[in-house]
Every structure is written in C-alpha cells, then in structure tokens.
Amino acid sequence: MDKKRVRIVYGVMVLVCLYFIGINEVKAEENDEALEFTYENILPKNQIGDNSYFELKVKPGYQQTLITKVTNQTDAEKTIKISVSDATTSSTGIINYGPSKEKLLGEDVLLLTDMIEAPNQIKLKAYETKEIEMKLTVPKEEFDGLVLGGVQLKEVTSEDNEESIEGVGLQNKYVYLYSISLKENDTKIEPDIVISEAYFEEIAYLSIDNPKQMIVDNMTIETLLMGEDSDKVLKEFREENYRMAP
C-alpha cells in the first residue's frame, strides 16, 4: 500500500534539555522465586557518580577493560548470553538499552557497539562466579556529547548443542539490563529535533528524529491531524515526558 499524505501540524516543546542526565538502570525481570544468577559491575576509576552501571569519562583513543562479575546461585550449570546494544527510543518515549531493530541516524554517528568487544556467552558451573571482560576502545578523534548503550545478560537453555544458543527451543528465564554511557568533555550541545516523515496507512505516523549526540529529556509533543485539503482538525494529540536517546 502506498503511503498516503496527510497534513499533520506538530509542535515539539523541549522543556528541559540536559547535556548529561542520570540513566536509570533497568532491573532484572524476576518472578517470586529466588534469583538464579546475579551480576555486579566493577566500577573503574574513570566512573562518574555513584551509580552501579558504567557511566564513564573517557579520552580520545582510550582503551580499558570493563568487568562485570556474574554469579550462578544454583546447583545447576547455566549459560548466560551477553548482548551489547546501542540505545534507541521506543514509540512511547522511553529509552531502550536492550537489543533493537532500530538504527541510529547518520553515517558518522558514534555507536557503542563499535567501541566494545564482548564475549557472546559464558558458562557457569554450580555456584560459580566468573568475570565478563569487555574491551572498550574509544575513537581517536574527540567527540562532544554522549555515547549511550546497554548490556543485556540473559539466561538461556536449549536442548540443542550449547555452542549454538541461537537455535530453536530457547527458553529465556532471567534477564538483566544495564546501561553504559561515555563522554569526553562538558561541551554544551543544543537540541535539534527534526520531523523527518509524516504519512498514514489507516493509522497516522509521525517520525521524530534526534540527530544530536545527547539525550533530549522531558519532551512534550503536540500534534494536530487534518485532512490533506482542509483546515478542519480531525484529532488532536498531546504526549508528555518523552525522552529520546542520542
């Protein structure tokens, strides 16, 4: 179906735009049973603040190893899958630090996934603790703003060969997700929200882009939906407290 054009009158009001903002750690998805595995980040000297996720000030060409300790709390062997992702924004205005099909904007955008090398998985014997070592390499050219992403730790089981944990028959059990943010300086960045596309296919769609290397916080979005050749307002929308990833 061809995308039909529709007049959408929009207003994006950025109430508060912060160059750097504290990121809430996403907690594990748990049930009422005891935790089957836990993790702890070993915070380096270039950590900013007291958060338990990695919030780092780095330098051009900087290299370091980030360490996360993972502990098996049970008497059974476990396989933990490790996924590093770039932060994206959901359609409901929430920053997503986990795996996503969404791509970041631009050809020269800085990606956390280009800077970190991590193992795909680790195996833990009963009650064993292991360290996940993730090698961070910062580009040699200085950048302003924020590089943002996350690490997901997911317990998986499979009846297939354990070396191929992507196969059919996986059962996800416990998931942890924490963020990693990098910055080099305190240069102030001004927000520049862009409306890149508006169309409808039974539902009206509006694409809002944040091309800057910064979190845009506390956004209020007001939208008027009109017919293509009419000034009559068919529907008015207002969304508040949206956040957009860099």
Side-chain angles (χ1 to χ4, degrees):
M1 178 186 298
D2 292 336
K3 295 177 181 178
K4 299 179 181 178
R5 296 192 177 278
V6 26
R7 292 180 62 199
I8 300 179
V9 179
Y10 59 86
V12 180
M13 298 185 295
V14 182
L15 301 183
V16 180
C17 297
L18 301 181
Y19 161 63
F20 191 81
I21 179 169
I23 305 158
N24 293 325
E25 184 178 14
V26 183
K27 300 298 182 181
E29 297 176 2
E30 305 167 6
N31 54 26
D32 293 333
E33 301 175 359
L35 293 176
E36 296 199 0
F37 79 95
T38 59
Y39 81 95
E40 177 190 4
N41 291 323
I42 308 303
L43 303 179
K45 293 182 180 179
N46 58 326
Q47 174 79 6
I48 303 170
D50 300 324
N51 296 307
S52 60
Y53 48 83
F54 292 110
E55 187 179 1
L56 309 177
K57 189 168 185 178
V58 296
K59 297 179 180 179
Y62 198 84
Q63 290 187 335
Q64 70 180 111
T65 299
L66 307 182
I67 296 175
T68 298
K69 283 187 177 180
V70 182
T71 300
N72 182 358
Q73 304 275 34
T74 73
D75 59 3
E77 183 178 275
K78 292 191 177 297
T79 298
I80 309 300
K81 182 180 178 182
I82 304 154
S83 303
V84 180
S85 304
D86 300 301
T88 56
T89 308
S90 72
S91 60
T92 56
I94 297 174
I95 295 179
N96 173 29
Y97 300 101
S100 171
K101 295 181 180 179
E102 298 294 330
K103 302 296 182 182
L104 300 190
L105 301 171
E107 297 180 357
D108 299 324
V109 64
L110 295 174
L111 303 177
L112 183 71
T113 49
D114 289 340
M115 302 182 192
I116 288 188
E117 295 181 14
N120 294 323
Q121 68 180 56
I122 59 169
K123 294 180 181 180
L124 299 173
K125 297 178 182 179
Y127 302 108
E128 182 180 22
T129 297
K130 279 188 177 180
E131 292 185 350
I132 301 172
E133 295 187 353
M134 298 173 286
K135 183 179 179 181
L136 169 66
T137 302
V138 179
K140 295 180 179 180
E141 184 176 350
E142 184 177 5
F143 67 85
D144 297 331
L146 190 67
V147 176
L148 186 63
V151 176
Q152 178 181 269
L153 306 176
K154 179 169 62 176
E155 177 190 354
V156 294
T157 59
S158 175
E159 297 177 356
D160 299 333
N161 189 323
E162 289 184 348
E163 292 181 358
S164 177
I165 65 171
E166 297 288 351
V168 178
L170 291 180
Q171 295 179 343
N172 298 340
K173 299 186 71 177
Y174 287 86
V175 177
Y176 287 99
L177 183 63
Y178 62 84
S179 61
I180 297 178
S181 64
L182 311 175
K183 75 169 186 175
E184 291 187 347
N185 55 54
D186 295 322
T187 300
K188 185 177 180 180
I189 297 179
E190 296 296 332
D192 182 22
I193 301 301
V194 177
I195 307 299
S196 61
E197 190 174 22
Y199 64 93
F200 76 93
E201 292 176 347
E202 296 182 351
I203 298 176
Y205 295 89
L206 181 66
S207 294
I208 302 176
D209 300 340
N210 172 21
K212 294 298 185 72
Q213 201 76 31
M214 65 175 295
I215 292 175
V216 181
D217 191 56
N218 290 342
M219 292 176 57
T220 297
I221 303 172
E222 295 182 337
T223 310
L224 301 179
L225 179 65
M226 303 176 180
E228 185 173 14
D229 300 317
S230 172
D231 290 332
K232 181 180 179 181
V233 176
L234 304 177
K235 189 73 175 180
E236 182 175 352
F237 303 90
R238 180 182 173 91
E239 302 290 346
E240 297 181 343
N241 299 319
Y242 265 46
R243 303 183 73 200
M244 292 193 72

